[in-house]
Amino acid sequence: MLKESAALRYFTFFYLYIMQGIPSGFALTAVANYLAGKGLSSQSVGSFVAIVGAPWIIQFIWGPIIDRYQFSVIGHRKHWVVLTQLLASIASLSLLLINDPVNQLALMSVLFFMHSNFASVQDASVDAIAISIVPETQRGRVNAFMRGGYLLGISIGSAGLSTVMHYYGFFYAALSQSVLLLLMTLVTFCIKLDQSDSLMISFKGRSKVQAPALARVDNPNLRWLFKQLYQAITDLSNFKTFGEIAVVYTCISIFIRAFSFHLIHNLHWADNAVSVLQGGWGVIATLIVTLSGGVIADRFGPAKLQSWVMVAICLFLLLFSSYGLLWQFKPLSVTGLIIWNFADPMFSVASMPVLMLLCRKKIEGSQFTAYMAIVNFCDVMGSYISGWAMKFVNAPTIGFACGCIVFLLIARKIFERPALQIQPVLIKNKLL
């Protein structure tokens, strides 16, 4: 029974993150690469990505509200997921107004921005459910399935919808995305996100006597939630741990945006070819490695896996960027792009359980959502920084600088570790 429950949990989060990955892959990879291929400047492409990603930055606002109103007749927090999925699908349909993405860039950016608002609340809702129902011993594997689903969704959105856009135009790519999202929303309505949920709408389950007490437990005071959230986020130990993760995410975003633009704009690769490589080739291998990473995180600890992945990212950035003059040789660039596809998912598999461990009881949904909002901000900020930096320096230089930053983080971890080991001994001696 426990194995069946765990398997169902893995499938549910895998599926929900596929749905989140599709529009992300379409907007941030397929459309961004399309705009670069049409000759738009790196700053224009970076600004588009920043506008699309902006709503994800304010996710910390939605976390406490989602925690405040947790219960509904369709399940525990499930109403947030279903409602926002439906609104995101409707917002996706508004993209059918776009005939020429380049000449209608401003309108397209606004419509994608509207879609992202609903999608960000959906993401916050799913994260709140995950942190509240997943046992600590399964968090590595669940995060692996979440990230694996997100990767598959990105593959569909970037490689799949980019191909549709390349052969049939933006209209049919947007239509395909909208139909997929609507169909998947119907599936979400019919699945149980929590064991206590019923499959259909239920007005039972709370007696009139129990209702007020349960409401206080399920729906804590909003002011109290924001106060506790602020204290948890600003805690010095938590701040340092998360700060390190945020910097690495920023470097990942800066490099991949610069590298993709360099391939399309400087080396004249077809935008569809880059999108397919980023979201298509090697996706099965990436899924296998990501899921394996979840098992490793549960077995050896996410902190160890995080350190190993940071070292791998650092070495790749320093070595691959050093051979920037050879990026014109396609086999080298293709290999680098495929290898880099492992960086973000593996770092996420290692880092998400670490962040979950930082979350306090009763506000875990809000706190984890706040962390995700800042991670999303790092991605948006990285895109903007990359677009701005490429006006002054080339992509290999940007990649090497990112490698140096990650190296400094690793060095800090190494030098701080002995201090952390000595501190308990000093305290013990004082007590003696």
Side-chain angles (χ1 to χ4, degrees), residues 18-332:
I18 289 176
M19 192 171 180
Q20 292 185 37
I22 291 173
S24 180
F26 180 50
L28 303 182
T29 301
V31 176
N33 288 344
Y34 173 84
L35 295 175
K38 292 297 181 180
L40 269 69
S41 67
S42 62
Q43 194 168 12
S44 297
V45 177
S47 297
F48 166 75
V49 173
I51 291 171
V52 175
W56 300 86
I57 298 171
I58 60 171
Q59 274 185 314
F60 68 92
I61 296 175
W62 303 119
I65 296 175
I66 291 167
D67 280 346
R68 172 66 178 85
Y69 302 101
Q70 297 181 16
F71 183 79
S72 76
V73 294
I74 64 171
H76 200 62
R77 293 191 177 99
K78 185 179 177 180
H79 54 292
W80 287 105
V81 180
V82 174
L83 176 62
T84 51
Q85 283 183 351
L86 181 60
L87 292 173
S89 301
I90 295 171
S92 179
L93 285 170
S94 70
L95 293 171
L96 300 180
L97 297 171
I98 303 299
N99 298 314
D100 186 346
V102 175
N103 292 322
Q104 295 179 285
L105 180 60
L107 175 61
M108 184 176 68
S109 299
V110 170
L111 297 179
F112 269 117
F113 176 83
M114 290 172 54
H115 175 272
S116 292
N117 275 287
F118 300 123
S120 66
V121 184
Q122 172 198 338
D123 180 52
S125 307
V126 174
D127 287 341
I129 293 171
I131 190 73
S132 63
I133 70 171
V134 177
E136 209 171 287
T137 54
Q138 295 179 11
R139 285 178 175 176
R141 280 162 287 181
V142 166
N143 273 285
F145 275 91
M146 290 162 71
R147 200 62 193 178
Y150 189 68
L151 283 173
L152 185 56
I154 286 178
S155 177
I156 295 169
S158 57
L161 295 181
S162 174
T163 302
V164 173
M165 185 165 56
H166 180 74
Y167 287 104
Y168 302 103
F170 180 86
F171 177 89
Y172 287 100
L175 180 61
S176 299
Q177 172 183 266
S178 302
V179 171
L180 281 172
L181 294 182
L182 282 169
L183 290 174
M184 296 180 85
T185 299
L186 292 175
V187 175
T188 304
F189 186 81
C190 299
I191 61 176
K192 295 174 65 173
L193 303 183
D194 191 296
Q195 286 185 342
S196 61
D197 294 345
S198 58
L199 287 174
M200 301 302 292
I201 294 176
S202 175
F203 294 93
K204 300 177 180 180
R206 291 188 180 200
S207 66
K208 291 182 179 179
V209 178
Q210 292 175 318
L214 288 173
R216 286 194 295 271
V217 175
D218 288 344
N219 301 322
N221 181 271
L222 197 59
R223 184 178 178 180
W224 179 85
L225 280 167
F226 274 106
K227 183 179 179 181
Q228 292 296 313
L229 177 60
Y230 174 78
Q231 292 176 354
I233 294 292
T234 55
D235 177 82
L236 183 59
S237 177
N238 292 355
F239 186 81
K240 288 174 68 175
T241 301
F242 176 69
E244 177 184 281
I245 293 172
V247 171
V248 176
Y249 270 116
T250 304
C251 289
I252 289 173
S253 177
I254 291 172
F255 173 73
I256 192 57
R257 299 297 174 193
F259 186 40
S260 299
F261 187 85
H262 180 83
L263 294 177
I264 296 169
H265 196 267
N266 295 60
L267 300 183
H268 309 293
W269 285 31
D271 63 274
N272 182 57
V274 176
S275 297
V276 169
L277 278 171
Q278 286 180 293
W281 295 108
V283 67
I284 300 300
T286 306
L287 280 172
I288 293 172
V289 171
T290 303
L291 297 179
S292 301
V295 176
I296 294 171
D298 284 338
R299 181 166 298 180
F300 297 100
K304 282 188 178 180
L305 181 60
Q306 181 190 342
S307 298
W308 299 340
V309 175
M310 283 179 63
V311 171
I313 289 173
C314 176
L315 291 175
F316 176 86
L317 287 171
L318 293 176
L319 293 174
F320 188 67
S321 299
S322 298
Y323 291 97
L325 293 176
L326 300 179
W327 287 0
Q328 59 184 310
F329 296 104
K330 207 163 187 176
L332 177 63

Side-chain angles (χ1 to χ4, degrees), residues 370-414:
Y371 285 140
M372 292 301 95
I374 302 172
V375 166
N376 293 326
F377 173 72
C378 293
D379 185 43
V380 172
M381 183 172 63
S383 300
Y384 186 80
I385 291 172
S386 178
W388 171 82
M390 287 199 74
K391 293 173 59 180
F392 307 100
V393 293
N394 58 23
T397 303
I398 292 172
F400 192 84
C402 289
C404 290
I405 292 171
V406 178
F407 175 80
L408 291 175
L409 290 176
I410 295 170
R412 187 188 70 83
K413 285 170 69 78
I414 293 173

